[in-house]
Amino acid sequence: MDNLKVAKEKMIIDNRSLVVVKNGQIVFESSKKGIVPMYDLYNEGLTGKIYISDRFIGGGAAKFILNFEASTVEVFTNIISKGALNLLESKGIKVEYKKIVDKILNRTGDDFCPVEKISMENDDFNVFYNKLRDFLLQTKQI
């Protein structure tokens, strides 16, 4: 069974923002917006080899993917930033995408996405995670 295909089809058919498959079974899915599904997935503490289908992947999502306790094997996304693609591929993660963009923008399209800003300003994952958590709490997303 093609794990990535299962994740991709579930995301598309059921209009999910994030789907994770392990051993042919869906082990995580979310319809929440933004980075919150990746944040939630990180806090699940999954182990083993996983396959991820996510609507958008920027620097923040890439940092989560590289820091999961589980080992991410393949990723599908509709839209990925060049920086995120380069980072994931440099770590040996196979990435399939529909569109590549220079940067992930905010909802009004006039600046970087706030999560991208947090990601760019914080190379250390633990610092990034804590700043992101504070942002998500402040904006009442978690």
Side-chain angles (χ1 to χ4, degrees):
M1 175 173 288
D2 184 342
N3 289 288
L4 191 61
K5 183 178 180 185
V6 171
K8 185 177 8 175
E9 287 178 355
K10 178 72 170 177
M11 183 182 80
I12 293 168
I13 292 169
D14 291 347
N15 196 30
R16 300 291 186 250
S17 52
L18 176 67
V19 177
V20 179
V21 171
K22 177 180 174 181
N23 299 325
Q25 301 293 315
I26 295 166
V27 294
F28 183 90
E29 62 183 288
S30 179
S31 296
K32 295 178 184 176
K33 294 183 185 266
I35 195 73
V36 175
M38 280 288 182
Y39 177 88
D40 291 344
L41 176 60
Y42 177 81
N43 290 313
E44 288 281 317
L46 290 176
T47 60
K49 293 182 179 181
I50 61 172
Y51 299 78
I52 297 173
S53 184
D54 190 4
R55 287 183 190 249
F56 301 93
I57 296 181
K63 282 186 180 183
F64 274 116
I65 290 168
L66 294 177
N67 285 279
F68 288 141
E69 195 169 326
S71 171
T72 304
V73 177
E74 288 182 77
V75 173
F76 168 80
T77 185
N78 291 326
I79 298 173
I80 190 165
S81 69
K82 287 180 183 175
L85 177 62
N86 291 338
L87 181 59
L88 293 174
E89 288 183 337
S90 75
K91 300 298 184 182
I93 297 173
K94 182 180 173 192
V95 181
E96 180 183 329
Y97 58 89
K98 286 187 177 179
K99 183 178 181 182
I100 188 167
V101 296
D102 288 328
K103 55 189 172 190
I104 303 295
L105 299 175
N106 62 17
R107 290 195 170 101
T108 57
D110 61 354
D111 195 3
F112 278 103
C113 162
V115 174
E116 288 296 285
K117 286 183 178 180
I118 295 168
S119 174
M120 290 185 298
E121 294 167 356
N122 299 284
D123 289 334
D124 178 270
F125 179 75
N126 292 321
V127 174
F128 161 75
Y129 177 87
N130 290 329
K131 298 245 181 190
L132 177 65
R133 185 192 61 231
D134 291 347
F135 170 76
L136 295 175
L137 286 167
Q138 180 183 20
T139 56
K140 299 180 180 15
Q141 295 182 60
I142 59 169

